[in-house]
Amino acid sequence: MNTLAAVMQLLVAVAFLSIPVVRHRFGPVAKAAAEAELRRQNVRPGVLEENRLRFDAGGHETAAPVAVAAVMIATAALNLAGTDLAQLLTWIFSSLVVLMNVVIVYSNLTAVRSVEAAFRRKGDPELSRVQVRPFLQAAEGAFPRWVRAQTYLRNTVVFAGSAVALVAVSVV
């Protein structure tokens, strides 16, 4: 059963690594689409850079998923090695991954409201003029259609893989 847990943890790691890969590949196109939408709204596109708003895989958009993947890979290795610590760490980290993914899904579902609030907090008068829904739709529309399916698949792998890993280490 430790092998099953390890395989699930490796799948979760791959799912998290897909986030920066997709953002790296298509982020510049999304940024260009978002900037075009800002121009349409008579908002200066440079406001994104000035406020450190990104669509690529820079900063925490890479660091966080890579860190999660590294922890899942390390825990998978402990499961494959059959260490006593593997069960406890699987419970801790797989549970945390589920909770983190809930936050990610929630933030995706409430993106318009969250971005509007973030723009207000920035205090930049130009950002406060941005019509956020079309701005985000423009950026999202720049990603290929398959990215939406990949997002659903990634969430399924993270939730189901974590659950299977938890069950697997519990029946040992």
Side-chain angles (χ1 to χ4, degrees):
M1 291 305 246
N2 280 13
T3 301
L4 177 59
V7 168
M8 293 299 108
Q9 290 163 329
L10 292 173
L11 287 173
V12 169
V14 169
F16 268 90
L17 288 174
S18 73
I19 298 168
V21 169
V22 168
R23 288 181 69 99
H24 174 74
R25 171 65 180 90
F26 300 105
V29 177
K31 179 183 177 194
E35 288 175 341
E37 176 57 27
L38 289 179
R39 279 188 213 85
R40 190 194 68 72
Q41 294 181 24
N42 293 316
V43 175
R44 202 173 37 81
V47 74
L48 294 179
E49 290 290 328
E50 292 164 9
N51 286 281
R52 296 187 183 132
L53 301 170
R54 318 172 61 128
F55 291 93
D56 64 6
H60 75 278
E61 291 88 357
T62 294
V66 167
V68 170
V71 167
M72 288 291 98
I73 291 167
T75 308
L78 292 173
N79 269 308
L80 288 172
T83 67
D84 293 336
L85 193 55
Q87 181 181 23
L88 174 63
L89 293 179
T90 295
W91 269 100
I92 292 168
F93 295 129
S94 290
S95 297
L96 286 173
V97 163
V98 167
L99 293 174
M100 283 187 290
N101 212 56
V102 166
V103 171
I104 290 168
V105 169
Y106 178 77
S107 72
N108 289 340
L109 293 174
T110 61
V112 171
R113 196 171 54 218
S114 298
V115 171
E116 287 171 343
F119 281 7
R120 280 192 303 275
R121 279 193 307 274
K122 290 279 188 180
D124 186 317
E126 200 145 14
L127 277 180
S128 66
R129 294 187 344 201
V130 174
Q131 297 168 17
V132 172
R133 185 173 305 280
F135 168 74
L136 291 178
Q137 286 172 337
E140 184 179 315
F143 288 91
R145 288 193 217 278
W146 61 261
V147 171
R148 181 174 290 265
Q150 182 261 351
T151 300
Y152 292 130
L153 178 61
R154 178 180 49 77
N155 287 326
T156 301
V157 166
V158 170
F159 287 128
S162 296
V164 170
L166 288 167
V167 170
V169 297
S170 297
V171 296
V172 172

